[in-house]
Amino acid sequence: MEYRFTKAEEDFRKEVRSLVAGHFPPSRPYNDSPAHRQEWVNSLLARGWAAYKWSTEFGGPGWSATQRYIWERETASNGVPAQLGGMGMMMLSPILQGYGSPEQCARHLPGILGNEVEWCQGYSEPGAGSDLAALRTRADRDGNDYVVNGEKIWTSWAHIAHWMFCLVRTQETERRQEGISFLLIDLSTPGITIRPIPTIDGMHHLNQVIFENVRVPIENRIGEEGLGWTYAKGLLTHERTGLANISLSIFLTRRLRTELAKQDTAGEEAGSEESILSRLSELETELSALEATELRALSELEAGEVPGPYTSILKLKGSQLVQRATTLFLDAAGFWTMPFTREAQAWNALSMPGPEWAAREVSRYFSGRAASIAGGTDEIQREIITKHVLRLK
Ligand SMILES: Cc1cc2nc3c(=O)[nH]c(=O)nc-3n(C[C@H](O)[C@H](O)[C@H](O)COP(=O)(O)OP(=O)(O)OC[C@H]3O[C@@H](n4cnc5c(N)ncnc54)[C@H](O)[C@@H]3O)c2cc1C
C-alpha cells in the first residue's frame, strides 16, 4: 500500500505545524501554565477548530479523515492533546449528532464545545464489562420519567462530571441486546451516590455510581427505546480508534530519545543505555508499522467505507505499544523512579533527585496498564479479530 498526501494536505500540515509550534515553542511547552493553555483553547474556538472531528453543520471545521489524522500527529508531536472537551466531545458528541434529536443537540453540544459541561460514560457494571449486554441497571417508565435503579462501575471522571451518558435496561428480552436504551442523566438528580475507586497510579479517576429511584425525563433518551445497543456500538468504535494512542506513543518515544541524548540521563547512569536504545528503536519500528495500519483504515474511511474490525487491531497493538513505551521510560529512569509520590506527579514538581521526569513517569507507567482493559480488553479485541478479520470460528 502506498499513501501519499496531496499538495493541499501537505499545505495543511505546514499550516497546523506552524500554528502549534508558534503557540508552544520549546520555551513555553503545553504544560507551561493554565493561562497559556486557555489562550490555546480560545484561539481554537475562534478558528472553529475546537471540535476537530465535527462537521460544519455542528460548528466544526468539516475536515476530511486525512486532515484529522494530520491534526492529531502534529499536535501529538508537541505534547499537545488533539482534542479538547473530554468524554463528551470524544464519545458522546458523535452519538448526539448521529441519533440525537435537534433539541438534544441544541441543548448539549454547546456545553461540550465550550468545554463547560463534563460528561462520563456509564456502561460497565459489576458482572457486565466484556459481556456488556449482561447489564442490569433498570429504567422503568413512570409517567413522563424513567425511574433508574442499579449500579455502574469503573466510571472515569464521574466525580467531576455534570452528566452521564448511560446504558440501561428498559425491557427484558430474549436477545439481551434488544432491551437496552441510551439515557442522558443529570448527575445532580437526587438518588445518585458516587464513590471513589483509588487506582495504583496514585490518582482518583475511577468511581462507582449507584442509582436509587433516580427520575430521568423520557425526553433524555437518545433515539428509540430498546435501540441503545446499536447506538453504543457505534460509540465503541470511536472509543477504540482513540484508544490506539499512537500519538501518545510517538510523543513518548520522541521524548525518551531526546532525554537519552542528554548527558545526565538516568539510562546512562544505570548503565543500560545501549539496551534501552535498541528497545526504543524496535518500538519506533513497530509504531511505524501500526501507523501504516492506521493509514490503511484512513484510506478506507476516505473511500466512504467503515474500517470496522481494523479498530480492534489498532486498539490491541496500540495498547501494547503504549505499555512498552511507558515501561521503557521506567527502565531508562532506573533507580530514580524510587521517590514516586503524589507530589512528584505535579508537572511543576521541584527538587526531585535525578532527571525531572523520572518519578512522574511511574504514574504514567501504572495508568498505562489499564490500556489493555479499558474500552474492551485485549482478549476481546483478539476475539473480534479472529472472527471478523481472520474469519476463524
Ligand atoms: C482505567 C479504566 C477506565 C474505565 N473507564 C470506564 C468508563 O468510563 N465507563 C465504563 O463504562 N467503563 C469503564 N471501564 C471499564 C472497562 O470497560 C471494563 O473494565 C472492561 O470492559 C472489562 O470488563 P471487566 O472489568 O468487567 O472485566 P471482565 O469482563 O470481567 O473480564 C475479566 C477478564 O476475563 C477476560 N474475558 C472476559 N470475557 C472473555 C471472553 N469472552 N473471552 C476471553 N477472555 C474473556 C477479560 O479479557 C479479562 O481479562 C474502565 C476500565 C478501566 C481499567
Side-chain angles (χ1 to χ4, degrees):
M1 184 211 70
E2 199 174 357
Y3 195 102
R4 283 182 203 282
F5 294 122
T6 62
K7 160 105 179 41
E9 286 162 351
E10 280 300 345
D11 289 346
F12 177 70
R13 183 201 285 279
K14 281 182 203 146
E15 184 187 354
V16 172
R17 186 169 290 179
S18 87
L19 180 77
V20 177
H23 197 89
F24 298 107
S27 57
R28 294 191 79 194
Y30 183 74
N31 296 308
D32 185 48
S33 76
H36 187 47
R37 283 200 291 277
Q38 190 55 48
E39 282 166 27
W40 172 245
V41 173
N42 294 343
S43 73
L44 294 185
L45 279 167
R47 277 176 167 256
W49 286 15
Y52 79 102
K53 289 184 179 170
W54 290 12
S55 65
T56 46
E57 181 193 349
F58 295 104
W63 286 341
S64 66
T66 306
Q67 284 177 301
R68 297 198 297 264
Y69 167 87
I70 290 171
W71 173 256
E72 285 164 8
R73 283 296 174 279
E74 293 301 324
T75 45
S77 49
N78 278 274
V80 177
Q83 185 65 83
L84 312 165
M87 288 203 166
M89 177 67 82
M90 197 164 69
M91 297 183 203
L92 177 62
S93 66
I95 296 294
L96 272 171
Q97 293 171 5
Y99 307 103
S101 66
E103 294 74 29
Q104 287 169 333
C105 288
R107 180 170 181 197
H108 295 297
L109 289 177
I112 293 174
L113 181 63
N115 209 3
E116 289 145 6
V117 181
E118 292 285 347
W119 287 82
C120 62
Q121 178 195 46
Y123 281 18
S124 306
E125 298 182 7
S130 304
D131 184 16
L132 192 55
L135 65 89
R136 285 178 302 175
T137 294
R138 293 193 55 83
D140 301 305
R141 279 203 191 218
D142 183 27
N144 291 329
D145 294 335
Y146 285 109
V147 179
V148 179
N149 279 288
E151 180 182 336
K152 295 289 171 183
I153 200 158
W154 314 125
T155 321
S156 303
W157 311 116
H159 58 299
I160 55 160
H162 304 98
W163 284 75
M164 172 189 277
F165 52 93
C166 188
L167 288 178
V168 292
R169 185 157 295 288
T170 39
Q171 214 189 339
E172 294 297 338
T173 47
E174 201 172 316
R175 199 173 165 268
R176 294 175 309 164
Q177 289 84 349
E178 278 167 14
I180 293 173
S181 297
F182 197 108
L183 286 190
L184 307 180
I185 302 181
D186 180 344
L187 290 177
S188 65
T189 316
I192 300 176
T193 308
I194 299 173
R195 295 196 183 125
I197 305 176
T199 43
I200 194 171
D201 55 8
M203 315 277 269
H204 170 202
H205 44 85
L206 294 181
N207 301 275
Q208 176 192 29
V209 183
I210 297 162
F211 298 93
E212 290 168 297
N213 295 319
V214 177
R215 299 196 77 87
V216 180
I218 288 175
E219 67 192 33
N220 285 10
R221 189 191 65 227
I222 296 279
E224 288 180 42
E225 187 171 273
L227 286 190
W229 186 261
T230 311
Y231 309 144
K233 263 202 328 202
L235 192 69
L236 280 176
T237 307
H238 280 275
E239 187 178 10
R240 276 177 199 146
T241 323
L243 288 173
N245 271 325
I246 298 176
S247 297
L248 173 63
S249 293
I250 291 176
F251 171 65
L252 287 175
T253 47
R254 281 187 189 166
R255 227 186 93 213
L256 185 54
R257 198 164 272 291
T258 311
E259 295 298 344
L260 288 173
K262 291 182 191 162
Q263 278 285 306
D264 63 347
T265 54
E268 220 169 84
E269 288 172 31
S272 57
E273 196 190 11
E274 201 180 310
S275 87
I276 297 283
L277 277 175
S278 73
R279 281 163 63 198
L280 180 57
S281 301
E282 272 173 39
L283 188 58
E284 286 165 340
T285 309
E286 287 184 48
L287 210 44
S288 305
L290 192 64
E291 266 199 285
T293 304
E294 194 180 39
L295 285 169
R296 206 160 1 140
L298 195 65
S299 25
E300 288 190 0
L301 261 179
E302 290 286 25
E305 294 164 32
V306 181
Y310 268 134
T311 57
S312 288
I313 298 177
L314 289 170
K315 159 76 169 76
L316 177 65
K317 189 70 188 172
S319 308
Q320 291 168 356
L321 296 186
V322 163
Q323 291 181 341
R324 275 171 53 192
T326 54
T327 305
L328 208 48
F329 248 106
L330 222 62
D331 290 348
F335 48 76
W336 294 119
T337 56
M338 287 171 72
F340 167 56
T341 63
R342 187 82 179 78
E343 290 70 34
Q345 293 164 28
W347 284 105
N348 57 355
L350 298 170
S351 314
M352 297 301 297
E356 52 86 22
W357 47 269
R360 212 169 44 218
E361 286 303 326
V362 184
S363 177
R364 203 189 319 251
Y365 166 83
F366 281 131
S367 56
R369 301 306 97 187
S372 45
I373 303 171
T377 65
D378 279 7
E379 289 78 11
I380 296 301
Q381 305 314 317
R382 284 197 186 94
E383 266 190 28
I384 297 172
I385 294 164
T386 308
K387 277 190 200 150
H388 299 284
V389 180
L390 303 175
R391 302 198 189 283
L392 301 173
K393 292 272 160 142

